[in-house]
Amino acid sequence: MEQKVCSIDKHPIMESEVMTMLDEKDLQAIAQLIKAQVNPINKRLDTLERTTATKDDLAAMEKRVLEQSTVNMQVLLEGLVDPKFNLLADGQKLIQEKMLPMEALDDAEDRLDVLEAVVKNHSREIRELKKAQ
């Protein structure tokens, strides 16, 4: 048989003595010691799992909030901005309809040049007639 030394008081113990020395109370005490050491570890693991779950929940919530904000922004743009752009486009269309085409402006300029020439001529003739009186 192999001989071992007791860790507490350093006296020699035979392996067969170790097996016979452990009874039900000893095993229960060992189980309680192990349980006492494992319980804090389990609590820390539970906390870590809850923290991880909380982070995942927060990430999912953040994603939902971002998606909802995007939807809200689209609704806002459709409700406020689109009608204003449509009104602006309608106003621009009315202005374009009222504008004269370039050909009409060219004709008007030509007529204006003729009228200016006629007015100058008439003004000159009126001055000459006044002088003749």
Side-chain angles (χ1 to χ4, degrees):
M1 294 253 164
E2 186 180 325
Q3 193 172 15
K4 295 190 176 188
V5 178
C6 179
S7 64
I8 298 173
D9 59 10
K10 305 291 184 203
H11 74 277
I13 302 174
M14 297 296 283
E15 191 173 320
S16 60
E17 290 177 10
V18 171
M19 295 309 241
T20 56
M21 289 172 46
L22 294 176
D23 61 1
E24 185 71 25
K25 289 180 183 177
D26 293 333
L27 293 174
Q28 286 177 352
I30 291 170
Q32 285 180 345
L33 288 173
I34 291 173
K35 190 175 182 180
Q37 291 177 349
V38 169
N39 277 343
I41 293 171
N42 284 338
K43 286 181 183 178
R44 287 175 61 194
L45 283 173
D46 289 343
T47 302
L48 182 62
E49 287 172 354
R50 282 194 306 272
T51 302
T52 302
T54 303
K55 285 181 183 177
D56 292 342
D57 292 344
L58 285 175
M61 192 182 307
E62 184 178 81
K63 183 179 178 186
R64 284 193 307 267
V65 166
L66 183 61
E67 289 171 352
Q68 187 61 46
S69 295
T70 302
V71 168
N72 290 346
M73 184 62 71
Q74 289 172 339
V75 167
L76 187 66
L77 287 173
E78 289 173 3
L80 295 176
V81 176
D82 285 351
K84 290 181 182 180
F85 274 124
N86 291 339
L87 286 173
L88 184 62
D90 290 344
Q92 186 177 9
K93 185 178 178 185
L94 289 172
I95 290 171
Q96 286 176 340
E97 289 172 355
K98 290 180 181 180
M99 288 179 61
L100 294 174
M102 287 302 284
E103 298 84 29
L105 285 177
D106 291 338
D107 290 344
E109 283 179 2
D110 292 341
R111 290 181 63 208
L112 184 60
D113 290 341
V114 170
L115 287 173
E116 284 177 350
V118 170
V119 168
K120 281 182 186 178
N121 188 30
H122 285 169
S123 296
R124 185 179 42 81
E125 288 176 359
I126 291 172
R127 272 193 312 271
E128 287 176 3
L129 288 171
K130 282 185 179 180
K131 282 183 187 177
Q133 283 181 346

